[in-house]
Amino acid sequence: MKLMKKVLWLLLLLAIVVAGSLYWLGTRDDASTGPAAAAADGASLIERGRYLALAGNCMACHTSRGGKALAGGTPIPTPFGTVYGPNITPDDKTGIGGWTADDFWQALHNGKSRDGTLLYPAFPYTEYTRVTRGDSDALFAYLRSVTPVSQPNRPPELDFPYDQRALLAAWRALYFKPGVQEPDASQSVQWNRGRYLVEGLGHCAACHTPRNSLGATRSADALTGGLIPVLDWYAPPLTNDMRTGMGRWTAQDIATLLKTGISKHSTVSGPMAEVVLGSTQHLTDEDALAIGVYIKSLPATPASSDRPTAAAAPAAIELGGKIYRQQCVQCHQSEGEGSGSAWPALAGNPTVTAPSPVNVIRMVLDGGYAPATASNPRPHGMPPFGQLLNDNDIAMLVTYIRNSWGNEAGGVTPLEVKRARAASTLN
């Protein structure tokens, strides 16, 4: 009995030591806050910050539908519950009016609020930590210039035990290390700029990298595509695999998609359409092309997928082909080559060949439009077929599309269509 008590005490002591170590690792600052950027002309600093806020798509999480700009309240659903974007207007009581540039830098770089509270990683500080101090100060200057709005922040609604904020210390110790991204001297200025935008301010990994069971991005599968939790949309790979990624694209094709929402290879839909509308269409041509250059330098890593590839039954392909010729061929053409920029090609389209068929299914169900951008103010749309075709029809049609004209993406089941239909109704 005495031996058992000693063992239990030793185990308890070990747990305390481990917990303390994790807490220290999760709360300490692994990189100093660094010196504030040298003072610049106020107007030019604010304008630079405005551009950076667009590039980082700050409005998406900090402006609720129908609400005041940057006043927060936007629900951000996660597998662990819902968090709400905070008020980042310069209101003294409910916003960041009482913050300093150092406080703001701490939030972006270290994932901590003004009082040291650990922030939930729904705020992508895991990527924003790469933002330079100069850009942080410009962002802060811009946010200080917007109209203050008195709107209290809404507390997160998370399931137990994820509502215990102290546990973030352990999560951070495992998955987060702050550090500004240093330029790679072996690469061009353009490449380094693209990398900075993709991996830092643009936080592309937040959607395009799969996540583990604790919500952390799987670094070994960086940018290999992933299902966006709760929203049930798939962010396709940004790697250069010829079948599932960007292997057929040029850097200019990528830049065009970011600026207009359309390209000869694909058209954005779902959450990415919102990103183009609110963020990437406002990029300079130089920054959009820099992103394309960096993405084209990524390896040809195949898409990451937890979905087993189902064989495409010949009968399903045959029947799906009949539906395609009845409903789709007029716009997307007999060989899936599309028609100019109005109707995208389906052959070699990474949205079509993705491991998950959910995006294609939802487009067939609900139709949709590319975002109306300055460069493409009147985009062509696709009508919905969810009322015309049943789940079996859509499963066969999508199976045909995913396995024709050189596409080899496997079959789709009526159950997958049923689930997508239900998700579409909820969202």
Side-chain angles (χ1 to χ4, degrees):
M1 182 64 71
K2 289 183 178 180
L3 179 61
M4 180 63 71
K5 286 184 177 180
K6 287 183 179 180
V7 171
L8 290 174
W9 275 109
L10 285 172
L11 290 174
L12 178 60
L13 180 61
L14 179 62
I16 292 172
V17 171
V18 171
S21 299
L22 287 175
Y23 182 81
W24 179 77
L25 287 169
T27 57
R28 71 189 177 107
D29 292 342
D30 290 322
S32 68
T33 56
D41 175 72
S44 63
L45 191 67
I46 290 171
E47 178 58 25
R48 176 181 163 197
R50 185 194 67 81
Y51 176 76
L52 294 170
L54 287 169
N57 201 19
C58 300
M59 292 282 284
C61 291
H62 295 281
T63 304
S64 61
R65 183 171 296 179
K68 299 290 183 65
L70 301 171
T74 307
I76 304 170
T78 79
F80 316 106
T82 302
V83 296
Y84 297 88
N87 183 343
I88 56 172
T89 71
D91 182 70
D92 287 336
K93 293 183 178 179
T94 63
I96 61 171
W99 288 41
T100 66
D102 284 344
D103 295 332
F104 188 74
W105 165 255
Q106 176 171 255
L108 255 63
H109 187 70
N110 290 316
K112 296 180 184 180
S113 189
R114 181 189 182 195
D115 60 1
T117 300
L118 301 182
L119 300 176
Y120 286 106
F123 173 60
Y125 60 83
T126 46
E127 284 75 43
Y128 286 166
T129 189
R130 297 175 175 86
V131 171
T132 65
R133 178 62 196 253
D135 279 355
S136 173
D137 286 352
L139 270 169
F140 182 68
Y142 165 68
L143 294 175
R144 295 280 295 177
S145 75
V146 304
T147 303
V149 179
S150 178
Q151 179 171 296
N153 291 312
R154 187 170 175 177
E157 299 170 357
L158 300 174
D159 301 328
F160 182 83
Y162 308 109
D163 59 348
Q164 304 301 302
R165 198 180 287 265
L167 294 177
L168 284 172
W171 189 93
R172 289 164 59 97
L174 292 170
Y175 303 118
F176 174 62
K177 182 178 180 181
V180 170
Q181 183 170 281
E182 298 295 336
D184 185 341
S186 68
Q187 297 286 350
S188 67
V189 172
Q190 185 182 45
W191 182 94
N192 276 292
R193 177 64 175 173
R195 180 190 178 202
Y196 177 71
L197 291 168
V198 168
E199 296 187 0
L201 199 61
H203 59 284
C204 301
C207 291
H208 291 274
T209 297
R211 295 178 180 270
N212 64 21
S213 59
L214 292 178
T217 52
R218 291 170 7 201
S219 57
D221 297 317
L223 302 178
T224 59
L227 193 66
I228 303 174
V230 183
L231 297 183
D232 289 308
W233 283 93
Y234 181 81
L238 300 183
T239 57
N240 278 281
D241 180 72
M242 291 295 293
R243 188 173 66 87
T244 61
M246 313 298 289
R248 302 171 188 265
W249 297 55
T250 66
Q252 185 58 59
D253 291 336
I254 295 168
T256 299
L257 185 78
L258 294 174
K259 294 282 289 183
T260 68
I262 60 174
S263 80
K264 63 183 179 182
H265 301 287
S266 190
T267 298
V268 296
S269 59
M272 189 61 197
E274 297 178 13
V275 171
V276 171
L277 180 64
S279 177
T280 62
Q281 70 158 314
H282 302 289
L283 293 171
T284 63
D285 291 344
E286 293 78 11
D287 275 353
L289 186 58
I291 289 174
V293 167
Y294 174 67
I295 287 175
K296 286 304 297 179
S297 75
L298 297 175
T301 308
S304 174
S305 175
D306 297 322
R307 174 185 183 267
T309 302
I317 293 177
E318 181 180 354
L319 292 172
K322 292 181 179 179
I323 298 172
Y324 180 86
R325 289 185 286 274
Q326 292 169 351
Q327 306 293 344
C328 313
V329 73
Q330 183 175 356
C331 295
H332 294 286
Q333 307 302 308
S334 60
E335 297 300 316
E337 70 270 29
S339 180
S341 61
W343 294 284
L346 302 178
N349 186 321
T351 298
V352 172
T353 58
S356 171
V358 65
N359 293 6
V360 186
I361 294 172
R362 293 189 67 164
M363 286 300 294
V364 174
L365 284 169
D366 302 327
Y369 285 84
T373 61
S375 302
N376 185 35
R378 295 183 179 178
H380 290 269
M382 175 173 168
F385 289 88
Q387 299 300 318
L388 179 65
L389 303 176
N390 62 34
D391 292 351
N392 287 328
D393 291 337
I394 293 175
M396 290 186 292
L397 171 60
V398 176
T399 295
Y400 171 76
I401 292 170
R402 283 165 56 85
N403 293 277
S404 299
W405 322 299
N407 295 342
E408 297 178 359
V412 176
T413 67
L415 179 59
E416 289 176 300
V417 178
K418 182 178 180 179
R419 288 173 177 165
R421 194 187 289 269
S424 175
T425 302
L426 291 173
N427 295 329

